[in-house]
């Protein structure tokens, strides 16, 4: 797929001013793709000089109009993004049907992202067909054309066998050098695909490929073999080139960044929602970190509560529910990936804590540039419920930030109730 005419890099939550004719036609109708509006990926505001666009909580390669593509990059290091994706359990399911060029990075790309990418290219081969070609095959036994006299002399004639020969013949089929490497890649990726329905399509694609290549002998590649796509038919070359590049990243641990680079690595374009990533990262940090304390951490979007006691019309969906037992909720948490909390965020945590009769409510947000990671007390309600705001530093050492967050939040939890004897 040819690259768009203009690729504009913008940081997440960043602003950029466009001329009105970039985003609207002469009749005033929007040129922005409807899918972009459905994703709620950008916010556009009229200005005296044109239109100001703000990239919301997505990062990745986002076609905006037929002539403009946004390359939205995170404000924090790429290795921290990969770490948060791994901790939070990202499925990499939001892959777009477009190929983009990523800048090379020293941070290894997540394995599941590479698996999705490999299967993306593999599906193209399953649709268009595997490469078939002529390739030499060595035969031994009775005479065939093109006798190899050196091997024949050393194997048979020198040992008193004047009948058998060694010869090379050309066959037409799938057992070519490039397909041998693709089969080896499919066998390796089979063990990397996670369980679950989200990966059923990829699992099926690998299965079909292995069945098609069952008579092909797999072979692990040498460094020179990653250029074998040049020998493939032109109509299949993009698919094979993609599979070989992904397999090379998988074997060598090479990485990619979100910065666009004209000569960078070609992979499918992934979109990541930072709101979801940050929420899952915070939740899973506490799930694993508080297990030894026998404190369960639940997703309130799945374990909903009631805002009112006498009806179920308005459920509460707290991002985090901390509890020591089913009836002992010790706190609720709301995770907001935004630079500044608003009044509505505080009202939300207050209403949820009040409805659950919990003693504690904590708002989590990323620390802004120049801010330190810390727990800040907001206040106390007449009911006795305490409220805090925790700023998480995702700019530095992620593991250290996790340990500090667990330690400081654990310190404000109410002590376990002592059973009367």
């Amino acid at each position: 797929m040819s690259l768009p005419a203009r690729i504009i890099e913008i940081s997440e939550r960043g602003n950029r001013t466009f001329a009105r004719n970039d985003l609207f036609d002469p009749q005033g109708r929007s040129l922005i793709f409807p899918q972009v509006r459905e994703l709620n990926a950008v916010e556009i505001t009229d200005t005296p000089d044109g239109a100001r666009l703000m990239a919301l909580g997505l990062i990745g390669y986002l076609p905006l109009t037929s002539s403009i593509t946004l390359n939205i990059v995170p404000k924090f290091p790429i290795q921290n993004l990969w770490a948060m994706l791994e901790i939070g359990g990202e499925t990499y399911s939001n892959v777009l049907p477009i190929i983009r060029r990523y800048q090379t990075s020293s941070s290894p790309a997540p394995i599941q992202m590479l698996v999705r990418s490999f299967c993306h290219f593999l599906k193209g081969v399953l649709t268009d067909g595997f490469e078939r070609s002529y390739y030499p095959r060595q035969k031994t036994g009775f005479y065939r054309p093109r006798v190899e006299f050196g091997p024949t002399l050393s194997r048979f004639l020198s040992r008193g066998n004047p009948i058998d020969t060694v010869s090379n013949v050309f066959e037409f089929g799938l057992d070519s050098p490039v397909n041998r490497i693709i089969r080896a890649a499919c066998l390796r990726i089979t063990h990397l695909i996670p369980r679950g329905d989200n990966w059923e399509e990829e699992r099926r694609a690998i299965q079909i490929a292995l069945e098609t290549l069952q008579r092909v002998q797999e072979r692990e590649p040498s460094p020179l073999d990653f250029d074998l796509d040049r020998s493939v038919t032109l109509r299949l070359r993009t698919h094979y080139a993609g599979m070989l590049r992904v397999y090379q990243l998988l074997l060598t641990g090479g990485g990619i960044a979100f910065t666009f680079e004209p000569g960078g690595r070609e992979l499918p374009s992934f979109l990541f929602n930072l709101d979801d990533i940050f929420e899952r990262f915070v939740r899973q940090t506490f799930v694993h970190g508080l297990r030894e304390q026998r404190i369960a951490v639940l997703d309130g979007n799945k374990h909903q509560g009631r805002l009112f006691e006498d009806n179920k019309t308005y459920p509460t969906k707290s991002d985090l529910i901390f509890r020591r037992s089913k009836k002992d909720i010790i706190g609720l948490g709301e995770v907001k990936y935004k630079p500044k909390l608003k009044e509505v965020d505080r009202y939300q945590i207050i209403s949820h804590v009040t409805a659950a009769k919990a003693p504690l409510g904590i708002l989590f947000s990323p620390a802004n540039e120049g801010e330190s990671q810390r727990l800040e007390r907001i206040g106390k309600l007449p009911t006795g419920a305490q409220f805090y705001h925790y700023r998480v530093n995702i700019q530095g050492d992620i593991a250290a930030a996790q340990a500090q967050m667990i330690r400081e939040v654990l310190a404000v939890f109410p002590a376990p109730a002592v059973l009367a004897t």
Side-chain angles (χ1 to χ4, degrees), residues 80-277:
N80 285 7
L81 173 64
W82 298 150
M84 291 168 65
L85 290 171
E86 182 178 357
I87 294 165
E90 172 66 37
T91 61
Y92 306 93
S93 57
N94 198 358
V95 54
L96 303 182
I98 183 173
I99 303 302
R100 61 159 296 182
R101 294 178 182 268
Y102 294 85
Q103 185 182 54
T104 302
S105 168
S106 59
S107 303
I111 289 177
Q112 292 183 9
M113 182 179 182
L114 297 180
V115 170
R116 287 278 193 200
S117 299
F118 183 89
C119 292
H120 174 81
F121 292 113
L122 179 62
K123 291 171 188 175
V125 173
L126 295 179
T127 300
D128 297 337
F130 279 93
E131 171 75 1
R132 293 176 181 270
S133 61
Y134 285 98
Y135 49 87
R137 182 183 296 275
Q138 193 174 80
K139 296 286 187 179
T140 59
F142 295 109
Y143 169 78
R144 290 174 181 270
R146 295 183 58 86
V147 172
E148 300 294 329
F149 289 101
T152 299
L153 180 62
S154 62
R155 276 196 203 180
F156 300 114
L157 291 178
S158 63
R159 299 181 183 181
N161 183 347
I163 299 176
D164 292 330
T165 63
V166 176
S167 58
N168 281 331
V169 296
F170 282 87
E171 294 185 1
F172 184 78
L174 295 171
D175 196 11
S176 60
V178 68
N179 282 336
R180 291 180 178 183
I181 294 170
I182 296 304
R183 177 173 167 80
C186 289
L187 289 171
R188 184 182 292 267
I189 288 175
T190 298
H191 302 291
L192 300 177
I193 297 179
R195 298 179 179 179
D197 296 339
N198 290 332
W199 292 86
E200 184 58 36
E201 191 174 337
E202 283 71 22
R203 196 177 295 108
R204 180 61 179 162
I206 293 290
Q207 181 183 351
I208 294 173
L210 289 175
E211 290 174 354
T212 305
L213 301 175
Q214 60 182 328
R215 296 183 181 276
V216 175
Q217 181 61 47
E218 68 272 8
R219 179 174 67 84
E220 291 296 336
S222 67
L224 298 177
D225 289 330
F226 292 113
D227 291 328
L228 281 175
D229 57 280
R230 298 176 183 176
S231 65
V232 175
T233 307
L234 191 59
R235 69 182 182 88
L236 298 174
R237 191 168 297 170
T238 300
H239 305 320
Y240 273 87
M243 289 190 292
L244 289 174
R245 299 300 174 268
V246 172
Y247 194 36
Q248 184 180 25
L249 288 173
L250 190 63
L251 293 178
T252 61
I256 57 175
F258 272 87
T259 303
F260 172 78
E261 184 177 290
R265 300 182 185 275
E266 289 189 345
L267 290 176
S269 178
F270 289 84
L271 274 180
F272 295 109
N273 188 318
L274 287 174
D275 296 311
D276 294 340
I277 290 170

Side-chain angles (χ1 to χ4, degrees), residues 316-335:
T316 60
K317 304 176 183 179
S318 301
D319 296 327
L320 304 171
I321 300 175
F322 302 96
R323 72 184 192 188
R324 289 194 173 95
S325 66
K326 191 171 183 179
K327 295 184 179 181
D328 185 14
I329 296 177
I330 60 175
L332 299 179
E334 297 293 340
V335 184

